[in-house]
Amino acid sequence: MTTAESSRTLAHPERDRIRLEEVLHALADPMRLRVVCALDAGDTEQSCTELQLPVTKSTSTHHFRVLRESGVIRQTYRGTAKLNALRREDLDLLFPGLLDSVLAGAARRGDGG
């Protein structure tokens, strides 16, 4: 791997290092919950620009980083785009029913964006 490639690789926790308290913290914020709802509703990975949040770019970057570092999403570079995908399989295995409950609650309250 070249230096350029390694600088575009983002750190993600391995499945067994994802912690419930970090996932709950990530999901507790309305902007991050909005991202999770949008990713769940989509069929494919979505770029950060597709998942526009009504916040500054630096704040948006912070929200995506919290989601990635907590293990809720996986981010990968494809060309110049940073693509986001929900780590549903990992979350469902570790915390059965949690994601579905959170998403259902967000839908009932209209928090999904």
Side-chain angles (χ1 to χ4, degrees):
M1 180 180 311
T2 68
T3 303
E5 289 173 332
S6 64
S7 68
R8 295 184 54 87
T9 300
L10 300 163
H12 298 85
E14 295 296 325
R15 179 188 297 164
D16 63 341
R17 301 200 58 118
I18 296 173
R19 298 290 171 245
L20 178 60
E21 60 275 14
E22 292 176 14
V23 170
L24 292 174
H25 169 75
L27 295 174
D29 182 88
M31 289 298 112
R32 294 192 289 263
L33 183 56
R34 184 176 181 164
V35 169
V36 171
C37 289
L39 289 173
D40 185 64
D43 292 335
T44 60
E45 297 172 313
Q46 297 179 47
S47 71
C48 293
T49 55
E50 289 177 274
L51 299 165
Q52 292 181 358
L53 300 176
V55 296
T56 64
K57 184 175 180 184
S58 63
T59 301
S60 179
T61 298
H62 166 75
H63 286 309
F64 281 103
R65 187 180 78 242
V66 169
L67 288 167
R68 176 176 46 83
E69 290 177 351
S70 67
V72 174
I73 66 170
R74 179 164 303 282
Q75 290 185 305
T76 54
Y77 279 104
R78 193 135 328 121
T80 59
K82 192 184 292 183
L83 299 180
N84 302 279
L86 190 58
R87 291 180 66 177
R88 179 175 266 288
E89 183 179 322
D90 290 336
L91 295 172
D92 286 347
L93 180 71
L94 292 167
F95 316 112
L98 175 67
L99 193 55
D100 287 332
S101 294
V102 168
L103 292 168
R108 278 192 304 278
R109 290 179 25 151
D111 293 342

